[in-house]
Amino acid sequence: MAELFLRISEDGQSVLFAASPTQESAPTRELLLEQLHSVGAESFYLFEKAIDSALAITSQAVELPTGSTSAETVVIAERRDASLVVKADPDFMRASITVTAPYGGKAATGADILEALKQNRIVKGIRKSQLHQLLEQASRLTPGEKLTLPIAFGRLPEHGVDSRFEPLVDDASHRILKPQVTDDGKVDMRDLGDLITVKAGQPLMKRVPATEGVPGFTVQGKALPAKPGKDSEFQPGDGTMISELDTNLLLAEQSGIPVRKPRGMQVDEALTLKGVNVATGHIDFDGSILITGDVTPGMRVSATGNITVAGFVELADLKAGGDISIIKGIIGRKHDGSKLGCSIEAKGNVTSKFAQFAEITCGQNAQFTLHVLHSVIRAEGEVIVMDQFKRQGTLSGGVTEAGYSIRVVNLGALAGIPTVVNAFTKHEYLQHQLQAKHREYQLEAQNVEKIREAQLKLLKLPEHKRPAELAERIHHAAEQHKSQITTLQTDYQQLRDEYEELRSRVMITAYNRVYSGVQSRLEKENLLITQEHGPSKLHIFEQVLQCTPL
């Protein structure tokens, strides 16, 4: 029978190696590993260097003279319980646990894991399902094997949503964008339906109040406040009123033509004409105008409200204090080398099926469903050339400038017609706003510094010589200026964040083709398209205007 070199310590936690002075031969590593099994310590943690030392000592003991009683005891293995290491991400939005399986010791329990999390101040977002999965998978690990699983998750705040204003009726500009559906389900681009009118008492718009948002938290329990949505009230236009029964409902106060506004509607008593031609003469009206036919060449139409034309506008001038909606199209012609023969100017939106050889200026969006050819478009908002299905919509030739984005189906033409598109022209105005707010902040900071100097001068005086009234005034002024500088700092940061977010979203988009010959500009960056591209977006990336696939 082989000589036994190993024994378990009295506390059962270690394996001891002891060489007998009377042993006849040195044990081998293989023999020691076998004996670990025989003493029930095969899963203990092995000290490899200690084993090497023990084997070396044994080898020396064999060579000792007979009668020597020297012998050494060496700990070569020990029982180890499972260990737990908790690690949180730098932003404390997730925490993971690494379990090291036990070496003959106690396995980790749910209570052990919860205590480890507590010791590391992980107190929020602990998922029971992850805890059970960790325990179940850890039970199948071999001694010393490691397993890491995320077990606690923070939650980002859900910021509130701003008030929304949902129209309950269409207006003429939106009817152009939504042609009628025929009985067989097809869309008839020529049929735009009846002109829209409303009756007194009819609901026009619903207001959805802003929400507060839902706060978030980190795994350490730190609250992450949600930014509440901006609450806005109705701005009822002429001919409308807020319902007495529901303050979130806007009603028509009179019969007429509805006109959509960003935070309300107005109902116009419109001047209705069958057409504008030499028989009617030029039209200048205080209110809105509804023209059921065409505006013929050479005519001028002006209104303080909206202008709606059910037919064509050809070689004419239209000017409106509100929106201009031209259902069938805008037709101009090139005159005197550069001048275009048709001019459309609106403080609101301009909407039409198409425009060619026209000069169009608007204070909001310009939107067309078929094409814009060889025209000059200047819009404070967006320029959109596409139908509701994004199947057709070509912007080719001319110059197009948009305060924000430009969205089309096809940009340019196969023949390489020079086409100039300039997006985000609003950036200078927005940057001036930022600079003005920063100057306000700097001025207020100077005022705070002056107040601080006055306080220091006052403190240098003996207490009995300090005028109480002056001290109170300085203290009051200091509090006011501190509050003001905090407000300005918040406003500036909010403006800057909004600008950066807007800058990241503004782009020139072509959902089908971008052709060569397009000269694009976004902010101060320029890009000439020299080859054809498929669906693409032109946007600023790393301070450079680039054309990338959608």
Side-chain angles (χ1 to χ4, degrees), residues 355-374:
Q356 56 193 44
F357 292 104
E359 185 169 347
I360 299 169
T361 305
C362 59
Q364 295 180 24
N365 299 333
Q367 191 160 359
F368 308 86
T369 58
L370 184 59
H371 63 240
V372 174
L373 305 178
H374 308 290

Side-chain angles (χ1 to χ4, degrees), residues 442-454:
Q442 289 178 318
L443 183 61
E444 198 60 33
Q446 291 173 5
N447 291 333
V448 169
E449 182 61 26
K450 289 177 182 177
I451 294 290
R452 192 182 69 82
E453 290 174 359

Side-chain angles (χ1 to χ4, degrees), residues 331-359:
I331 304 169
R333 191 178 301 123
K334 199 170 184 180
H335 290 301
D336 303 330
S338 60
K339 186 179 178 182
L340 301 175
C342 194
S343 172
I344 308 296
E345 182 180 344
K347 290 186 178 179
N349 299 303
V350 170
T351 310
S352 186
K353 185 176 181 181
F354 70 84
Q356 56 193 44
F357 292 104
E359 185 169 347

Side-chain angles (χ1 to χ4, degrees), residues 118-133:
K118 183 179 177 182
Q119 291 294 326
N120 286 271
R121 293 182 293 177
I122 307 299
V123 296
K124 195 95 170 171
I126 300 169
R127 293 189 185 172
K128 288 184 179 179
S129 59
Q130 293 293 100
L131 177 61
H132 292 152
Q133 185 180 353

Side-chain angles (χ1 to χ4, degrees), residues 270-498:
L271 169 65
T272 303
L273 301 167
K274 290 183 179 179
V276 176
N277 47 47
V278 291
T280 63
H282 302 310
I283 303 297
D284 187 354
F285 184 68
D286 184 7
S288 294
I289 300 175
L290 170 60
I291 302 167
T292 59
D294 301 329
V295 179
T296 58
M299 304 312 299
R300 295 193 302 272
V301 180
S302 177
T304 57
N306 299 332
I307 298 175
T308 302
V309 182
F312 293 97
V313 172
E314 183 178 359
L315 295 170
D317 293 346
L318 270 64
K319 186 174 183 179
D323 298 339
I324 294 179
S325 303
I326 302 167
I327 293 176
K328 289 191 176 179
I330 304 166
I331 304 169
R333 191 178 301 123
K334 199 170 184 180
H335 290 301
D336 303 330
S338 60
K339 186 179 178 182
L340 301 175
C342 194
S343 172
I344 308 296
E345 182 180 344
K347 290 186 178 179
N349 299 303
V350 170
T351 310
S352 186
K353 185 176 181 181
F354 70 84
Q356 56 193 44
F357 292 104
E359 185 169 347
I360 299 169
T361 305
C362 59
Q364 295 180 24
N365 299 333
Q367 191 160 359
F368 308 86
T369 58
L370 184 59
H371 63 240
V372 174
L373 305 178
H374 308 290
S375 296
V376 176
I377 312 288
R378 296 185 182 91
E380 294 292 319
E382 290 189 323
V383 174
I384 303 165
V385 187
M386 62 182 177
D387 62 9
Q388 62 187 119
F389 306 109
K390 297 180 183 176
R391 293 176 183 166
Q392 56 186 11
T394 297
L395 174 59
S396 177
V399 177
T400 299
E401 297 180 352
Y404 300 106
S405 292
I406 296 174
R407 294 183 286 140
V408 303
V409 176
N410 298 302
L411 182 57
L414 190 61
I417 295 171
T419 304
V420 178
V421 285
N422 184 0
F424 202 23
T425 59
K426 279 276 190 181
H427 79 276
E428 288 187 355
Y429 168 76
L430 297 173
Q431 285 178 344
H432 287 155
Q433 277 190 317
L434 272 173
Q435 291 165 3
K437 187 63 68 176
H438 188 60
R439 284 194 295 271
E440 283 185 61
Y441 172 79
Q442 289 178 318
L443 183 61
E444 198 60 33
Q446 291 173 5
N447 291 333
V448 169
E449 182 61 26
K450 289 177 182 177
I451 294 290
R452 192 182 69 82
E453 290 174 359
Q455 286 177 317
L456 290 174
K457 286 181 180 178
L458 193 63
L459 288 173
K460 289 178 181 179
L461 295 175
E463 190 170 349
H464 66 279
K465 289 187 177 181
R466 298 174 194 168
E469 186 180 342
L470 178 60
E472 179 61 29
R473 284 207 311 269
I474 291 175
H475 175 73
H476 182 67
E479 292 300 315
Q480 278 189 322
H481 284 292
K482 283 180 184 177
S483 175
Q484 182 67 11
I485 202 168
T486 300
T487 301
L488 287 171
Q489 192 171 21
T490 302
D491 291 348
Y492 174 76
Q493 191 58 49
Q494 184 176 346
L495 275 175
R496 187 165 190 82
D497 291 345
E498 288 174 357

